[in-house]
Amino acid sequence: QVQLVESGGGSVQVGGTLRLSCAAAAFRFTISRNCMAWFRQAPGKEREGIAAINYSGRTTYTQSVKGRFTISSESTSTQNVLYLEMATLKPEDTATYYCAGTRRPERCLMLQRDAYEYWGQGTQVTVSS
């Protein structure tokens, strides 16, 4: 079983930056060798995929975060982490952010919720003016 644990959420002012982390706790699940994504869900809205990365480092972003958010991963002998660097934050970025992963290469770089079988519990990001 793969456990994903997000951290780094919090409150930030408009225009600020924040970095989210997602650590994987599982035997033989190396984040950088699988396909991962970040999703977010605002109150009353559907969960939306915002960024994805595959095992070769290729990335894709939804239009609303392109140029502001960066997805990356780092897997070493001491850490196994997915990141989301967020800059120029806006009030509409307020949401619960989730990391997700899949072992299925045919689902890489998808931003659809049902493409991923592993999920974290979420971390709250609040952007205020």
Side-chain angles (χ1 to χ4, degrees), residues 78-127:
T78 57
Q79 61 181 359
N80 189 21
V81 186
L82 179 73
Y83 297 106
L84 184 69
E85 302 270 1
M86 305 186 292
T88 319
L89 283 162
K90 305 175 182 180
E92 51 264 43
D93 294 319
T94 295
T96 300
Y97 284 70
Y98 300 88
C99 66
T102 180
R103 293 184 187 272
R104 302 187 180 189
E106 69 273 14
R107 298 180 180 181
C108 288
L109 299 177
M110 289 185 175
L111 294 178
Q112 290 77 30
R113 183 174 180 174
D114 58 6
Y116 298 88
E117 61 266 30
Y118 305 120
W119 291 86
Q121 82 291 346
T123 186
Q124 178 67 35
V125 172
T126 302
V127 184

Side-chain angles (χ1 to χ4, degrees), residues 27-106:
F27 180 63
R28 293 183 179 176
F29 188 83
T30 303
I31 281 181
S32 63
R33 295 180 183 176
N34 287 280
C35 295
M36 307 294 296
W38 285 97
F39 286 71
R40 67 184 181 187
Q41 187 167 17
K45 295 189 176 182
E46 295 289 319
R47 190 173 300 187
E48 64 165 339
I50 58 172
I53 186 168
N54 73 357
Y55 43 80
S56 64
R58 183 181 174 188
T59 60
T60 190
Y61 299 91
T62 194
Q63 188 62 39
S64 62
V65 307
K66 197 173 293 185
R68 300 190 298 122
F69 291 10
T70 303
I71 186 172
S72 64
S73 65
E74 183 173 5
S75 296
T76 66
S77 59
T78 57
Q79 61 181 359
N80 189 21
V81 186
L82 179 73
Y83 297 106
L84 184 69
E85 302 270 1
M86 305 186 292
T88 319
L89 283 162
K90 305 175 182 180
E92 51 264 43
D93 294 319
T94 295
T96 300
Y97 284 70
Y98 300 88
C99 66
T102 180
R103 293 184 187 272
R104 302 187 180 189
E106 69 273 14

